[in-house]
Amino acid sequence: MMNANLEAKETNMLAPEEITAKDVTKTYLRWHFANEIPHSFERYLAPSLLYAMMPILRKLYKDEDQLRAAYKRQLLFFNTQLSWGGGVITGLMSSMEQERAKEVVNGEEVTMTDDLMYNTKAGLMGALAGIGDSIDSGTVQYIFIAIAVPWAQMGNPIGALFPFIAFALYQALLGVFFARSAFKTGKNATGVMHSAGIQTVIEMLSILGMFMMGILAGNYVKVSSSLEFEISGRPFIMQEMLDKIMPGMLPLAVVLGVYFFYIKKGLKVTRALVGLTLILIVLAGIGIL
């Protein structure tokens, strides 16, 4: 009887604490602000992930050996995008570690194995990074810039500050949302990312991003023709003729030319800039632009 009481007392001492939504939020924010600080070529962003997870791991594993094992488990090679990948994976790892801690303390078979957790991270970190980079860095960032450009042109300092502040807030809030959602859904978090709602949002943002890129190109890529000559005594002004056919034809041609260059030659930005500059200089020198 005494031995049973001692075992029960020991089990209670090693029992994991309950993980709350506040803990998950804190975990993501630690990841968010430490993301690139301990970057290394051997582990990439794994030290940031471990730093984010440490408060939760301490609440879950009261046994020193189990805690050390959890630290090592979260310190394996890791690299992903800040909010989409970081948010989902920090929430998901918190959920899976909680389940493992309960299995260990209850003496149950461990289903949340090291391989399962790492394979889950490895399978998600690349896919989510691709989505996050294309949506955040390739779309949302430029929407904020497009909103702020008119303010900057008027000399309003908000035009310089707004894109940075708005984008930082957007990523922090989005990351917290994904972390909490992934923690609640546990192993089914991948289903959230492939749900109809999320896919609809991604598609809407992609379409909006294309519109914003077209607006930016039309308003801020300035290319016009200076070619003028006479036909039968009547002046022929090339730019006026192009505007009658389609306003903004030359800026569009430049943007599409650069786009097709990237498609054919790859994202060689320096070569594209040098080549475009030389072409424009030649066309300006012979009086076409």
Side-chain angles (χ1 to χ4, degrees):
M1 184 69 177
M2 187 178 293
N3 289 337
N5 289 335
L6 289 174
E7 289 178 4
K9 185 177 180 180
E10 184 178 352
T11 300
N12 289 334
M13 289 177 62
L14 297 176
E17 299 178 48
E18 194 66 29
I19 304 302
T20 65
K22 183 178 179 181
D23 293 326
V24 177
T25 299
K26 181 180 178 182
T27 296
Y28 173 74
L29 292 177
R30 283 168 69 95
W31 154 264
H32 186 94
F33 290 108
N35 179 249
E36 294 284 353
I37 294 175
H39 198 143
S40 72
F41 284 106
E42 181 184 2
R43 301 182 187 275
Y44 266 65
L45 304 181
S48 303
L49 179 64
L50 174 58
Y51 170 74
M53 295 288 298
M54 283 173 67
I56 279 183
L57 296 178
R58 291 196 189 106
K59 291 185 70 174
L60 294 176
Y61 299 105
K62 304 303 180 181
D63 179 80
E64 290 297 324
D65 291 337
Q66 292 290 340
L67 182 60
R68 279 194 290 268
Y71 281 0
K72 292 179 181 179
R73 189 162 52 244
Q74 297 299 339
L75 196 55
L76 298 176
F77 179 92
F78 180 71
N79 187 32
T80 193
Q81 190 265 353
L82 177 62
S83 54
W84 290 69
V88 172
I89 292 172
T90 52
L92 187 56
M93 288 299 105
S94 299
S95 176
M96 296 179 76
E97 290 285 6
Q98 180 174 249
E99 290 301 313
R100 180 185 174 113
K102 290 178 180 178
E103 292 172 346
V104 169
V105 78
N106 292 330
E108 301 172 359
E109 180 184 357
V110 176
T111 59
M112 296 296 172
T113 62
D114 291 7
D115 287 343
L116 175 62
M117 282 196 264
Y118 186 73
N119 290 339
T120 300
K121 282 193 293 185
L124 288 175
M125 63 187 186
L128 293 174
I131 296 173
D133 287 338
S134 62
I135 296 298
D136 286 4
S137 301
T139 302
V140 176
Q141 178 177 233
Y142 292 102
I143 291 173
F144 290 137
I145 292 173
I147 292 171
V149 164
W151 298 335
Q153 288 184 323
M154 292 186 294
N156 191 330
I158 293 177
L161 298 175
F162 176 80
F164 297 101
I165 296 172
F167 191 56
L169 287 174
Y170 157 80
Q171 286 202 305
L173 294 174
L174 185 70
V176 169
F177 167 75
F178 280 143
R180 288 192 175 193
S181 299
F183 179 75
K184 289 179 182 178
T185 55
K187 290 185 294 183
N188 295 320
T190 52
V192 174
M193 300 311 301
H194 293 93
S195 65
I198 292 294
Q199 293 302 313
T200 300
V201 170
I202 292 172
E203 187 174 351
M204 289 171 60
L205 286 172
S206 299
I207 294 171
L208 180 59
M210 293 298 291
F211 272 107
M212 297 307 295
M213 292 303 293
I215 292 170
L216 283 172
N219 287 332
Y220 304 112
V221 177
K222 302 296 183 182
V223 182
S224 61
S225 175
S226 60
L227 183 63
E228 296 184 17
F229 53 89
E230 290 188 358
I231 299 178
S232 302
R234 299 181 60 185
F236 181 88
I237 302 174
M238 178 63 74
Q239 188 58 50
E240 290 183 358
M241 182 62 65
L242 294 176
D243 288 340
K244 291 178 181 178
I245 299 172
M246 188 179 77
M249 180 184 291
L250 292 180
L252 177 63
V254 171
V255 172
L256 290 178
V258 173
Y259 172 76
F260 286 117
F261 173 83
Y262 287 153
I263 293 295
K264 186 175 181 180
K265 300 294 184 180
L267 197 61
K268 299 177 180 179
V269 179
T270 302
R271 185 182 297 183
L273 287 173
V274 172
L276 181 61
T277 301
L278 292 175
I279 291 171
L280 293 176
I281 288 173
V282 171
L283 292 177
I286 61 179
I288 295 178
L289 299 181

